[in-house]
Short mmCIF file of all heavy atoms in Angstrom, two decimals:
data_model
loop_
_atom_site.label_atom_id
_atom_site.label_comp_id
_atom_site.label_asym_id
_atom_site.label_seq_id
_atom_site.Cartn_x
_atom_site.Cartn_y
_atom_site.Cartn_z
N VAL D 56 130.84 4.91 26.71
CA VAL D 56 130.02 5.78 27.62
C VAL D 56 128.72 5.15 27.89
O VAL D 56 128.03 4.83 26.89
CB VAL D 56 129.82 7.18 27.12
CG1 VAL D 56 128.90 7.96 28.01
CG2 VAL D 56 131.16 7.90 26.85
N ALA D 57 128.36 4.90 29.07
CA ALA D 57 127.10 4.23 29.48
C ALA D 57 126.29 5.27 30.10
O ALA D 57 126.62 6.03 31.09
CB ALA D 57 127.41 3.11 30.37
N TYR D 58 125.01 5.45 29.60
CA TYR D 58 124.04 6.36 30.21
C TYR D 58 123.08 5.55 31.03
O TYR D 58 122.60 4.49 30.62
CB TYR D 58 123.24 7.06 29.07
CG TYR D 58 124.10 7.92 28.25
CD1 TYR D 58 124.82 7.40 27.12
CD2 TYR D 58 124.25 9.34 28.60
CE1 TYR D 58 125.60 8.33 26.33
CE2 TYR D 58 125.05 10.15 27.77
CZ TYR D 58 125.73 9.57 26.59
OH TYR D 58 126.51 10.42 25.85
N GLN D 59 122.75 6.08 32.29
CA GLN D 59 121.98 5.34 33.21
C GLN D 59 120.99 6.33 33.86
O GLN D 59 121.32 7.52 33.97
CB GLN D 59 122.75 4.79 34.39
CG GLN D 59 123.85 3.66 33.93
CD GLN D 59 123.17 2.33 33.71
OE1 GLN D 59 121.98 2.26 33.48
NE2 GLN D 59 123.99 1.28 33.89
N PRO D 60 119.81 5.91 34.24
CA PRO D 60 118.84 6.78 34.95
C PRO D 60 119.62 7.32 36.35
O PRO D 60 120.38 6.55 36.88
CB PRO D 60 117.73 5.89 35.28
CG PRO D 60 117.69 4.83 34.26
CD PRO D 60 119.21 4.60 34.04
N PHE D 61 119.27 8.55 36.66
CA PHE D 61 119.91 9.09 37.82
C PHE D 61 119.55 8.16 39.05
O PHE D 61 118.43 7.95 39.38
CB PHE D 61 119.34 10.48 38.05
CG PHE D 61 120.11 11.30 39.11
CD1 PHE D 61 121.12 12.03 38.77
CD2 PHE D 61 119.63 11.27 40.47
CE1 PHE D 61 121.75 12.81 39.75
CE2 PHE D 61 120.24 11.95 41.37
CZ PHE D 61 121.32 12.74 41.08
N PRO D 62 120.66 7.64 39.68
CA PRO D 62 120.49 6.72 40.76
C PRO D 62 120.21 7.38 42.17
O PRO D 62 120.62 8.44 42.33
CB PRO D 62 121.74 5.93 40.78
CG PRO D 62 122.82 6.94 40.43
CD PRO D 62 122.10 7.81 39.40
N ALA D 63 119.50 6.66 42.96
CA ALA D 63 119.34 7.20 44.40
C ALA D 63 120.65 7.09 45.03
O ALA D 63 121.44 6.24 44.78
CB ALA D 63 118.29 6.24 45.15
N GLY D 64 121.02 8.12 45.80
CA GLY D 64 122.30 8.12 46.60
C GLY D 64 123.50 8.41 45.66
O GLY D 64 124.58 7.98 45.84
N TYR D 65 123.21 9.15 44.60
CA TYR D 65 124.30 9.43 43.55
C TYR D 65 125.48 10.13 44.29
O TYR D 65 126.59 9.72 43.93
CB TYR D 65 123.71 10.31 42.45
CG TYR D 65 124.69 10.67 41.32
CD1 TYR D 65 125.32 9.73 40.64
CD2 TYR D 65 124.91 12.05 41.05
CE1 TYR D 65 126.23 10.16 39.68
CE2 TYR D 65 125.88 12.47 40.17
CZ TYR D 65 126.47 11.43 39.31
OH TYR D 65 127.32 11.87 38.42
N MET D 66 125.22 11.13 45.03
CA MET D 66 126.36 11.79 45.70
C MET D 66 127.12 11.00 46.61
O MET D 66 128.34 11.27 46.90
CB MET D 66 125.78 13.08 46.50
CG MET D 66 125.16 14.16 45.61
SD MET D 66 126.41 15.05 44.70
CE MET D 66 127.22 15.95 45.94
N GLU D 67 126.55 9.90 47.12
CA GLU D 67 127.27 8.97 48.04
C GLU D 67 127.92 7.62 47.39
O GLU D 67 128.38 6.93 48.05
CB GLU D 67 126.31 8.54 49.12
CG GLU D 67 125.60 9.69 49.82
CD GLU D 67 124.55 9.23 50.77
OE1 GLU D 67 124.66 8.11 51.32
OE2 GLU D 67 123.52 9.95 50.90
N SER D 68 127.79 7.66 46.00
CA SER D 68 128.10 6.38 45.39
C SER D 68 129.59 6.26 45.00
O SER D 68 129.99 5.23 44.49
CB SER D 68 127.28 6.24 44.17
OG SER D 68 127.53 7.29 43.18
N PHE D 69 130.41 7.23 45.26
CA PHE D 69 131.73 7.33 44.72
C PHE D 69 132.57 6.07 45.29
O PHE D 69 133.25 5.43 44.48
CB PHE D 69 132.46 8.61 45.24
CG PHE D 69 133.23 9.31 44.15
CD1 PHE D 69 133.37 10.67 44.23
CD2 PHE D 69 133.79 8.67 43.08
CE1 PHE D 69 134.10 11.37 43.27
CE2 PHE D 69 134.49 9.27 42.15
CZ PHE D 69 134.65 10.71 42.23
N SER D 70 132.52 5.86 46.49
CA SER D 70 133.41 4.83 47.13
C SER D 70 133.08 3.40 46.59
O SER D 70 134.04 2.61 46.50
CB SER D 70 133.32 4.81 48.67
OG SER D 70 133.90 6.04 49.19
N ARG D 71 131.88 3.17 46.30
CA ARG D 71 131.53 1.76 45.87
C ARG D 71 131.75 1.58 44.30
O ARG D 71 131.54 0.45 43.85
CB ARG D 71 130.17 1.38 46.29
CG ARG D 71 129.07 2.17 45.82
CD ARG D 71 127.65 1.76 46.39
NE ARG D 71 126.72 2.59 46.02
CZ ARG D 71 125.95 2.68 44.90
NH1 ARG D 71 126.30 1.76 43.93
NH2 ARG D 71 124.99 3.49 44.60
N LEU D 72 132.05 2.61 43.65
CA LEU D 72 132.34 2.55 42.22
C LEU D 72 133.71 3.00 41.97
O LEU D 72 134.43 3.37 42.84
CB LEU D 72 131.33 3.38 41.41
CG LEU D 72 129.85 3.06 41.50
CD1 LEU D 72 129.05 4.15 40.88
CD2 LEU D 72 129.59 1.69 40.93
N GLU D 73 134.25 2.85 40.73
CA GLU D 73 135.59 3.32 40.40
C GLU D 73 135.64 4.73 40.19
O GLU D 73 134.79 5.31 39.52
CB GLU D 73 136.07 2.53 39.16
CG GLU D 73 136.10 0.90 39.35
CD GLU D 73 136.44 0.21 38.09
OE1 GLU D 73 136.60 0.87 37.05
OE2 GLU D 73 136.52 -1.08 38.11
N TYR D 74 136.76 5.31 40.54
CA TYR D 74 136.96 6.79 40.46
C TYR D 74 136.81 7.16 38.99
O TYR D 74 136.16 8.24 38.63
CB TYR D 74 138.40 7.14 40.95
CG TYR D 74 138.81 8.49 40.67
CD1 TYR D 74 138.31 9.57 41.38
CD2 TYR D 74 139.82 8.78 39.70
CE1 TYR D 74 138.74 10.92 41.15
CE2 TYR D 74 140.28 10.05 39.46
CZ TYR D 74 139.68 11.15 40.22
OH TYR D 74 140.23 12.40 39.94
N ASN D 75 137.43 6.47 38.06
CA ASN D 75 137.46 6.87 36.64
C ASN D 75 136.12 6.64 35.94
O ASN D 75 135.93 7.05 34.71
CB ASN D 75 138.60 6.15 35.85
CG ASN D 75 139.84 7.00 35.83
OD1 ASN D 75 139.80 8.20 36.10
ND2 ASN D 75 140.97 6.38 35.55
N LEU D 76 135.19 6.00 36.58
CA LEU D 76 133.81 5.90 35.95
C LEU D 76 133.17 7.20 35.85
O LEU D 76 132.36 7.42 34.94
CB LEU D 76 132.90 4.95 36.84
CG LEU D 76 133.08 3.39 36.73
CD1 LEU D 76 132.26 2.68 37.71
CD2 LEU D 76 132.85 2.88 35.38
N PHE D 77 133.43 8.17 36.90
CA PHE D 77 132.81 9.34 36.87
C PHE D 77 133.53 10.38 36.01
O PHE D 77 134.69 10.57 36.13
CB PHE D 77 132.73 9.98 38.36
CG PHE D 77 131.85 9.12 39.27
CD1 PHE D 77 132.32 7.93 39.80
CD2 PHE D 77 130.58 9.46 39.54
CE1 PHE D 77 131.51 7.20 40.66
CE2 PHE D 77 129.71 8.83 40.32
CZ PHE D 77 130.30 7.68 40.90
N PRO D 78 132.92 10.96 34.99
CA PRO D 78 133.58 11.88 34.14
C PRO D 78 134.08 13.12 34.94
O PRO D 78 133.49 13.67 35.84
CB PRO D 78 132.44 12.41 33.13
CG PRO D 78 131.29 11.31 33.31
CD PRO D 78 131.40 10.81 34.69
N LYS D 79 135.35 13.50 34.58
CA LYS D 79 135.91 14.70 35.12
C LYS D 79 135.30 15.82 34.34
O LYS D 79 134.74 15.68 33.37
CB LYS D 79 137.45 14.63 35.05
CG LYS D 79 138.06 13.47 35.74
CD LYS D 79 139.56 13.50 35.51
CE LYS D 79 140.24 12.29 36.22
NZ LYS D 79 139.80 10.94 35.63
N VAL D 80 135.57 17.04 34.94
CA VAL D 80 135.01 18.22 34.34
C VAL D 80 136.14 19.10 33.96
O VAL D 80 137.03 19.44 34.77
CB VAL D 80 133.98 18.93 35.30
CG1 VAL D 80 133.42 20.21 34.56
CG2 VAL D 80 132.83 17.95 35.58
N TYR D 81 136.07 19.68 32.80
CA TYR D 81 137.23 20.51 32.32
C TYR D 81 136.78 21.96 32.00
O TYR D 81 135.68 22.19 31.62
CB TYR D 81 137.75 19.90 30.90
CG TYR D 81 138.40 18.50 31.13
CD1 TYR D 81 137.70 17.35 31.42
CD2 TYR D 81 139.83 18.43 31.06
CE1 TYR D 81 138.28 16.19 31.64
CE2 TYR D 81 140.43 17.23 31.16
CZ TYR D 81 139.65 16.07 31.45
OH TYR D 81 140.27 14.92 31.61
N GLY D 82 137.73 22.88 32.12
CA GLY D 82 137.53 24.25 31.84
C GLY D 82 138.53 24.77 30.80
O GLY D 82 139.39 24.09 30.39
N LEU D 83 138.30 26.01 30.39
CA LEU D 83 139.03 26.57 29.29
C LEU D 83 140.33 27.16 29.94
O LEU D 83 140.39 27.61 31.01
CB LEU D 83 138.31 27.80 28.64
CG LEU D 83 136.93 27.43 28.03
CD1 LEU D 83 136.21 28.66 27.56
CD2 LEU D 83 137.07 26.43 26.87
N MET D 84 141.45 26.95 29.11
CA MET D 84 142.79 27.31 29.65
C MET D 84 143.23 28.61 29.17
O MET D 84 144.25 28.87 28.47
CB MET D 84 143.77 26.24 29.27
CG MET D 84 143.53 24.90 29.94
SD MET D 84 143.85 24.98 31.78
CE MET D 84 142.18 25.06 32.45
N ASP D 85 142.51 29.65 29.48
CA ASP D 85 142.98 31.06 29.16
C ASP D 85 142.45 32.04 30.21
O ASP D 85 141.63 31.74 30.98
CB ASP D 85 142.58 31.53 27.77
CG ASP D 85 141.10 31.81 27.67
OD1 ASP D 85 140.24 31.27 28.50
OD2 ASP D 85 140.72 32.51 26.74
N ASP D 86 143.02 33.35 30.19
CA ASP D 86 142.48 34.34 31.00
C ASP D 86 141.47 35.13 30.21
O ASP D 86 141.44 35.02 28.98
CB ASP D 86 143.68 35.35 31.35
CG ASP D 86 144.62 34.67 32.46
OD1 ASP D 86 144.15 33.78 33.01
OD2 ASP D 86 145.67 35.22 32.60
N VAL D 87 140.39 35.68 31.34
CA VAL D 87 139.20 36.38 30.72
C VAL D 87 140.10 37.65 30.03
O VAL D 87 140.35 38.41 30.85
CB VAL D 87 138.19 36.48 31.70
CG1 VAL D 87 137.03 37.27 31.17
CG2 VAL D 87 137.73 35.07 32.09
N GLY D 88 153.50 40.17 16.39
CA GLY D 88 154.83 39.72 16.08
C GLY D 88 155.12 38.36 16.41
O GLY D 88 156.24 37.77 16.23
N ALA D 89 153.84 37.45 17.00
CA ALA D 89 154.00 36.10 17.52
C ALA D 89 154.42 35.12 16.40
O ALA D 89 155.14 34.14 16.64
CB ALA D 89 152.66 35.70 18.05
N LEU D 90 154.02 35.22 15.11
CA LEU D 90 154.36 34.30 14.09
C LEU D 90 155.86 34.37 13.78
O LEU D 90 156.51 33.32 13.50
CB LEU D 90 153.54 34.66 12.77
CG LEU D 90 152.08 34.37 12.86
CD1 LEU D 90 151.41 34.83 11.57
CD2 LEU D 90 151.80 33.02 13.21
N GLU D 91 156.48 35.54 13.89
CA GLU D 91 157.86 35.67 13.66
C GLU D 91 158.63 34.96 14.79
O GLU D 91 159.67 34.34 14.70
CB GLU D 91 158.32 37.12 13.60
CG GLU D 91 157.83 37.88 12.36
CD GLU D 91 158.21 39.33 12.31
OE1 GLU D 91 158.79 39.76 13.28
OE2 GLU D 91 157.95 39.98 11.31
N ALA D 92 158.11 35.08 16.03
CA ALA D 92 158.74 34.44 17.23
C ALA D 92 158.86 32.97 17.09
O ALA D 92 159.88 32.44 17.58
CB ALA D 92 158.02 34.83 18.51
N ILE D 93 157.85 32.35 16.50
CA ILE D 93 157.87 30.85 16.38
C ILE D 93 158.46 30.48 15.06
O ILE D 93 158.52 29.24 14.72
CB ILE D 93 156.51 30.26 16.54
CG1 ILE D 93 155.49 30.69 15.42
CG2 ILE D 93 155.91 30.56 17.93
CD1 ILE D 93 154.17 29.96 15.50
N GLY D 94 158.96 31.40 14.28
CA GLY D 94 159.69 31.12 13.01
C GLY D 94 158.89 30.65 11.88
O GLY D 94 159.40 30.15 10.89
N VAL D 95 157.59 30.99 11.92
CA VAL D 95 156.75 30.35 10.87
C VAL D 95 156.71 31.15 9.55
O VAL D 95 156.35 30.73 8.48
CB VAL D 95 155.23 30.09 11.43
CG1 VAL D 95 154.54 31.43 11.45
CG2 VAL D 95 154.52 29.11 10.52
N ILE D 96 156.94 32.54 9.71
CA ILE D 96 157.01 33.42 8.54
C ILE D 96 157.96 32.88 7.42
O ILE D 96 157.48 32.72 6.27
CB ILE D 96 157.42 34.82 8.92
CG1 ILE D 96 156.38 35.48 9.90
CG2 ILE D 96 157.55 35.71 7.68
CD1 ILE D 96 154.99 35.63 9.32
N ASN D 97 159.13 32.51 7.77
CA ASN D 97 160.02 31.93 6.83
C ASN D 97 159.54 30.60 6.15
O ASN D 97 159.70 30.38 5.00
CB ASN D 97 161.45 31.76 7.43
CG ASN D 97 162.14 33.03 7.72
OD1 ASN D 97 161.92 33.99 7.06
ND2 ASN D 97 163.12 32.95 8.71
N ILE D 98 158.89 29.81 7.06
CA ILE D 98 158.45 28.44 6.56
C ILE D 98 157.39 28.67 5.55
O ILE D 98 157.24 27.88 4.60
CB ILE D 98 157.99 27.66 7.79
CG1 ILE D 98 159.13 27.35 8.73
CG2 ILE D 98 157.29 26.35 7.34
CD1 ILE D 98 160.24 26.57 8.10
N GLN D 99 156.56 29.78 5.70
CA GLN D 99 155.37 29.93 4.80
C GLN D 99 155.85 30.48 3.49
O GLN D 99 155.14 30.24 2.44
CB GLN D 99 154.36 30.88 5.41
CG GLN D 99 153.62 30.22 6.63
CD GLN D 99 152.73 31.33 7.29
OE1 GLN D 99 152.83 32.60 6.95
NE2 GLN D 99 151.85 30.83 8.16
N GLN D 100 157.04 31.05 3.38
CA GLN D 100 157.42 31.74 2.21
C GLN D 100 157.83 30.66 1.03
O GLN D 100 158.51 29.65 1.31
CB GLN D 100 158.69 32.54 2.34
CG GLN D 100 158.37 33.85 3.26
CD GLN D 100 159.58 34.69 3.47
OE1 GLN D 100 160.71 34.47 2.90
NE2 GLN D 100 159.47 35.64 4.38
N GLU D 101 157.27 30.86 -0.09
CA GLU D 101 157.38 29.91 -1.19
C GLU D 101 158.83 29.68 -1.53
O GLU D 101 159.25 28.50 -1.89
CB GLU D 101 156.63 30.37 -2.39
CG GLU D 101 156.38 29.30 -3.48
CD GLU D 101 155.56 28.16 -3.01
OE1 GLU D 101 154.51 28.38 -2.30
OE2 GLU D 101 155.97 27.06 -3.28
N ASN D 102 159.75 30.66 -1.49
CA ASN D 102 161.04 30.40 -1.90
C ASN D 102 161.96 29.77 -0.85
O ASN D 102 163.09 29.53 -1.02
CB ASN D 102 161.70 31.79 -2.21
CG ASN D 102 161.85 32.80 -1.06
OD1 ASN D 102 161.03 32.57 -0.08
ND2 ASN D 102 162.66 33.73 -1.08
N ILE D 103 161.29 29.48 0.43
CA ILE D 103 162.02 28.69 1.42
C ILE D 103 161.48 27.29 1.45
O ILE D 103 162.00 26.37 0.93
CB ILE D 103 162.01 29.45 2.70
CG1 ILE D 103 162.72 30.88 2.59
CG2 ILE D 103 162.68 28.65 3.86
CD1 ILE D 103 162.71 31.60 3.92
#
Side-chain angles (χ1 to χ4, degrees):
V56 177
Y58 296 88
Q59 299 278 27
F61 189 89
Y65 178 61
M66 290 292 287
E67 304 170 32
S68 63
F69 226 151
S70 290
R71 61 183 172 82
L72 297 175
E73 297 175 359
Y74 170 75
N75 266 343
L76 282 176
F77 293 83
K79 300 177 184 65
V80 182
Y81 292 72
L83 304 173
M84 292 293 101
D85 72 337
D86 288 344
V87 175
L90 294 181
E91 292 180 355
I93 64 174
V95 78
I96 295 295
N97 288 333
I98 298 300
Q99 292 176 346
Q100 292 179 12
E101 192 65 41
N102 63 340
I103 299 179

